[in-house]
Amino acid sequence: YLCDEEINENELLLKNLTSLLNKLTDDNFNTLFIEITNFEKINNLEILNKAIDRLINNIKFNQVFCNTYSKLCYNIDSKDLWGYTDENNNNISFKNMILQKLQYEFFNIFNEKSRKEELDLLDSIECEDEKYDEECELKNNKNGIILLLSYFYNRNLIDNKIMEEIIRYLISPLDRKST
């Protein structure tokens, strides 16, 4: 169990990180990356998961900055800023954790249950303008994940084998059973 002081420190760290992610652009990347490196190394599994979730959520809503976010991920990985060691003394890297979460997000795009839930949500919205807005938001979330994966490939964060699998799914997504 974490004491209140640790919870407050963790929440403050995540709040500051979210603030920096919301400000991140190509123009201010170097300055903000220095601020991120000044954070204490993120090596707690709970904080790392939340930090990666916030990063992915920013990517979903700010696809324009996918290249910048991929650069951030590349730099975090290459400088080994984030990661943790589990109870068996295994090192779990930031790269492995974010790729695992992106894999889940990517395959969720093609998941029948997820697609049905989206259709049900859209069907439940009566106002055509609201329905259109929600449909655009859902589409943008998917596009953000796919774009980020392509930028990860360009930065060698994922290899050819993974990219080939991604392309197979994108070429014929409806021919596959959900995962």
Side-chain angles (χ1 to χ4, degrees):
Y1 293 95
L2 298 174
C3 70
D4 288 341
E5 187 176 309
E6 285 181 33
I7 291 172
N8 291 337
E9 280 183 36
N10 293 347
E11 286 304 314
L12 182 61
L13 174 71
L14 290 169
K15 185 177 179 179
N16 289 337
L17 177 64
T18 301
S19 175
L20 291 176
L21 291 175
N22 288 337
K23 296 175 193 172
L24 191 64
T25 66
D26 286 334
D27 295 334
N28 65 12
F29 180 85
N30 291 332
T31 305
L32 293 182
F33 186 71
I34 289 170
E35 285 188 48
I36 290 171
T37 60
N38 288 336
F39 285 162
E40 179 180 319
K41 180 178 177 175
I42 297 180
N43 58 8
N44 171 301
L45 178 60
E46 180 183 349
I47 296 173
L48 187 57
N49 272 319
K50 287 181 180 180
I52 290 172
D53 288 343
R54 290 184 185 191
L55 180 64
I56 289 173
N57 283 334
N58 271 32
I59 290 161
K60 285 179 175 180
F61 294 106
N62 298 301
Q63 298 86 25
V64 170
F65 299 111
C66 274
N67 186 36
T68 307
Y69 286 121
S70 72
K71 183 178 177 181
L72 175 66
C73 293
Y74 176 82
N75 287 346
I76 288 170
D77 180 59
S78 65
K79 296 185 184 332
D80 195 29
L81 296 178
W82 299 357
Y84 83 102
T85 304
D86 67 12
E87 63 277 351
N88 296 326
N89 242 7
N90 297 319
N91 288 326
I92 310 299
S93 71
F94 164 76
K95 178 180 168 181
N96 288 341
M97 288 190 68
I98 195 165
L99 287 178
Q100 195 172 41
K101 287 181 178 274
L102 288 171
Q103 178 182 13
Y104 171 80
E105 292 282 343
F106 179 78
F107 286 117
N108 198 41
I109 292 170
F110 303 100
N111 181 288
E112 275 184 48
K113 182 180 177 192
S114 174
R115 290 176 33 206
K116 183 177 179 349
E117 288 171 1
E118 287 176 4
L119 289 173
D120 291 345
L121 171 66
L122 292 173
D123 287 343
S124 71
I125 300 172
E126 292 180 19
C127 176
E128 288 301 315
D129 288 340
E130 287 178 28
K131 186 182 287 196
Y132 176 78
D133 290 344
E134 184 65 32
E135 191 172 17
C136 287
E137 185 176 320
L138 290 169
K139 191 175 193 178
N140 285 338
N141 288 346
K142 294 171 187 172
N143 289 344
I145 297 301
I146 294 167
L147 280 171
L148 182 67
L149 288 167
S150 67
Y151 282 109
F152 269 32
Y153 177 74
N154 289 340
R155 295 194 184 277
N156 294 317
L157 289 168
I158 59 176
D159 61 22
N160 288 339
K161 184 178 176 185
I162 294 171
M163 187 49 94
E164 287 171 9
E165 188 67 18
I166 290 168
I167 291 170
R168 267 192 224 102
Y169 268 84
L170 293 174
I171 290 173
S172 59
L174 300 178
D175 294 345
R176 300 198 174 272
K177 284 288 183 197
S178 61
T179 35

